[in-house]
C-alpha cells in the first residue's frame, strides 16, 4: 500500500485526515475523488469541512505535502497553514521528543510551489505548533467606495 501506518484526523479548527505516503511517486499520483469524499468524509453542517492532507518524507528531514478538500470548494491548495499545523502536532505527538522543526513543500504538483516552516514544541500546556513562510503575490486589488 502507498499509505504508511494508519491515517489520523487532526484539527486546529478545520478537520483534516492526515496520511503519510510511501514516497514522492505515490504523492504525485494522488488525486481527489469527490464521490469518495462524499461517502467517507461528508460535510457536517456547523462543522468545518474536512480535507485530506497527504505527505511524504524527503531527504534532509523535509516533507512534501498535498491537501485536497473538493467538497469545500478546494480541489487542491498550494499552501495550507491549518493542515500543516495539524500535521506538526501529529508528528510531534507520534514521533515523540520535546520539539520539531521541519520544512514542508506544498503546491509543487499544481505548479504553485510553497515552502512552509513548521515548528512544534511540547510543554506543560500541551503541544504548540506554528507555521510560517514567505509569499509570492499573484494578484492585487483595491476596493473603492
Amino acid at each position: 500500500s502507498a499509505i504508511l501506518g494508519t491515517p489520523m484526523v487532526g484539527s486546529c479548527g478545520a478537520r483534516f485526515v492526515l496520511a503519510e505516503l510511501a514516497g514522492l511517486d505515490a504523492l504525485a499520483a494522488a488525486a481527489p475523488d469527490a464521490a469518495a469524499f462524499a461517502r467517507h468524509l461528508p460535510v457536517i453542517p456547523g462543522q468545518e469541512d474536512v480535507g485530506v492532507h497527504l505527505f511524504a518524507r524527503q531527504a534532509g528531514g523535509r516533507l512534501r505535502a498535498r491537501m485536497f478538500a473538493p467538497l469545500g470548494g478546494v480541489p487542491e491548495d498550494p499552501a495550507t497553514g491549518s493542515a500543516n499545523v495539524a500535521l506538526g502536532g501529529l508528528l510531534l505527538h507520534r514521533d515523540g521528543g520535546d520539539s520539531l522543526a521541519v520544512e514542508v513543500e506544498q503546491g509543487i504538483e499544481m505548479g504553485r510551489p510553497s515552502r512552509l516552516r513548521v515548528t512544534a514544541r511540547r510543554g506543560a500546556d500541551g503541544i504548540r505548533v506554528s507555521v510560517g513562510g514567505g509569499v509570492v503575490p499573484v494578484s492585487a486589488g483595491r476596493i473603492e467606495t
Side-chain angles (χ1 to χ4, degrees):
S1 170
I3 298 174
L4 300 177
T6 302
M8 300 184 81
V9 175
S11 175
C12 64
R15 296 176 301 142
F16 297 95
V17 174
L18 305 164
E20 182 173 359
L21 301 186
L24 296 180
D25 289 342
L27 187 65
D33 178 338
F37 270 75
R39 274 193 316 275
H40 301 289
L41 303 169
V43 174
I44 300 170
Q47 292 188 12
E48 294 290 334
D49 291 339
V50 175
V52 171
H53 194 55
L54 306 174
F55 68 98
R57 296 180 191 266
Q58 300 185 78
R62 293 175 301 128
L63 303 176
R64 182 174 297 172
R66 298 181 73 188
M67 197 290 293
F68 305 104
L71 299 183
V74 182
E76 183 169 2
D77 189 21
T80 315
S82 53
N84 285 297
V85 165
L87 178 59
L90 170 69
L91 291 175
L92 185 59
H93 172 76
R94 189 179 74 186
D95 298 346
D98 293 325
S99 65
L100 75 79
V102 66
E103 181 178 281
V104 178
E105 297 175 343
Q106 192 177 332
I108 307 297
E109 292 78 7
M110 62 186 298
R112 293 182 56 195
S114 302
R115 282 196 179 91
L116 302 165
R117 289 179 306 280
V118 178
T119 58
R121 68 171 177 77
R122 187 184 310 273
D125 59 346
I127 294 175
R128 300 287 179 159
V129 182
S130 65
V131 173
V135 299
V136 175
V138 294
S139 66
R142 189 169 86 198
I143 298 174
E144 295 185 25
T145 57

